[in-house]
PDB file of all heavy atoms in Angstrom:
ATOM      1  N   ALA H 369       2.370  35.103  -0.122  1.00 98.00           N
ATOM      2  CA  ALA H 369       1.958  33.687  -0.115  1.00 98.00           C
ATOM      3  C   ALA H 369       1.728  33.169  -1.532  1.00 98.00           C
ATOM      4  O   ALA H 369       1.308  32.032  -1.721  1.00 98.00           O
ATOM      5  CB  ALA H 369       0.687  33.514   0.713  1.00 98.00           C
ATOM      6  N   GLY H 370       1.990  34.012  -2.509  1.00 98.00           N
ATOM      7  CA  GLY H 370       1.771  33.591  -3.892  1.00 98.00           C
ATOM      8  C   GLY H 370       0.315  33.720  -4.299  1.00 98.00           C
ATOM      9  O   GLY H 370      -0.202  32.897  -5.047  1.00 98.00           O
ATOM     10  N   GLY H 371      -0.356  34.767  -3.773  1.00 98.00           N
ATOM     11  CA  GLY H 371      -1.745  35.006  -4.155  1.00 98.00           C
ATOM     12  C   GLY H 371      -1.850  35.536  -5.577  1.00 98.00           C
ATOM     13  O   GLY H 371      -0.847  35.694  -6.280  1.00 98.00           O
ATOM     14  N   GLY H 372      -3.101  35.810  -5.988  1.00 98.00           N
ATOM     15  CA  GLY H 372      -3.341  36.349  -7.326  1.00 98.00           C
ATOM     16  C   GLY H 372      -3.860  35.290  -8.273  1.00 98.00           C
ATOM     17  O   GLY H 372      -3.564  34.108  -8.136  1.00 98.00           O
ATOM     18  N   VAL H 373      -4.649  35.746  -9.226  1.00 98.00           N
ATOM     19  CA  VAL H 373      -5.335  34.801 -10.116  1.00 98.00           C
ATOM     20  C   VAL H 373      -4.385  34.150 -11.121  1.00 98.00           C
ATOM     21  O   VAL H 373      -4.647  33.054 -11.609  1.00 98.00           O
ATOM     22  CB  VAL H 373      -6.530  35.486 -10.815  1.00 98.00           C
ATOM     23  CG1 VAL H 373      -6.067  36.365 -11.986  1.00 98.00           C
ATOM     24  CG2 VAL H 373      -7.560  34.471 -11.280  1.00 98.00           C
ATOM     25  N   VAL H 374      -3.274  34.806 -11.420  1.00 98.00           N
ATOM     26  CA  VAL H 374      -2.366  34.235 -12.422  1.00 98.00           C
ATOM     27  C   VAL H 374      -1.684  32.982 -11.876  1.00 98.00           C
ATOM     28  O   VAL H 374      -1.663  31.930 -12.537  1.00 98.00           O
ATOM     29  CB  VAL H 374      -1.339  35.297 -12.904  1.00 98.00           C
ATOM     30  CG1 VAL H 374      -0.258  34.666 -13.768  1.00 98.00           C
ATOM     31  CG2 VAL H 374      -2.071  36.392 -13.689  1.00 98.00           C
ATOM     32  N   LEU H 375      -1.153  33.066 -10.644  1.00 98.00           N
ATOM     33  CA  LEU H 375      -0.529  31.866 -10.057  1.00 98.00           C
ATOM     34  C   LEU H 375      -1.594  30.819  -9.720  1.00 98.00           C
ATOM     35  O   LEU H 375      -1.295  29.632  -9.620  1.00 98.00           O
ATOM     36  CB  LEU H 375       0.273  32.225  -8.803  1.00 98.00           C
ATOM     37  CG  LEU H 375       1.603  32.937  -9.039  1.00 98.00           C
ATOM     38  CD1 LEU H 375       2.297  33.246  -7.716  1.00 98.00           C
ATOM     39  CD2 LEU H 375       2.521  32.106  -9.931  1.00 98.00           C
ATOM     40  N   ASP H 376      -2.830  31.264  -9.535  1.00 98.00           N
ATOM     41  CA  ASP H 376      -3.881  30.313  -9.168  1.00 98.00           C
ATOM     42  C   ASP H 376      -4.502  29.628 -10.382  1.00 98.00           C
ATOM     43  O   ASP H 376      -4.675  28.409 -10.385  1.00 98.00           O
ATOM     44  CB  ASP H 376      -4.974  31.030  -8.366  1.00 98.00           C
ATOM     45  CG  ASP H 376      -5.818  30.049  -7.565  1.00 98.00           C
ATOM     46  OD1 ASP H 376      -5.233  29.233  -6.837  1.00 98.00           O
ATOM     47  OD2 ASP H 376      -7.061  30.086  -7.669  1.00 98.00           O
ATOM     48  N   ILE H 377      -4.869  30.392 -11.389  1.00 98.00           N
ATOM     49  CA  ILE H 377      -5.660  29.823 -12.495  1.00 98.00           C
ATOM     50  C   ILE H 377      -4.926  29.834 -13.832  1.00 98.00           C
ATOM     51  O   ILE H 377      -5.066  28.897 -14.622  1.00 98.00           O
ATOM     52  CB  ILE H 377      -7.031  30.527 -12.619  1.00 98.00           C
ATOM     53  CG1 ILE H 377      -7.801  30.449 -11.294  1.00 98.00           C
ATOM     54  CG2 ILE H 377      -7.864  29.881 -13.738  1.00 98.00           C
ATOM     55  CD1 ILE H 377      -9.204  31.045 -11.333  1.00 98.00           C
TER      56      ILE H 377
END
Side-chain angles (χ1 to χ4, degrees):
V373 78
V374 171
L375 286 180
D376 200 51
I377 304 183

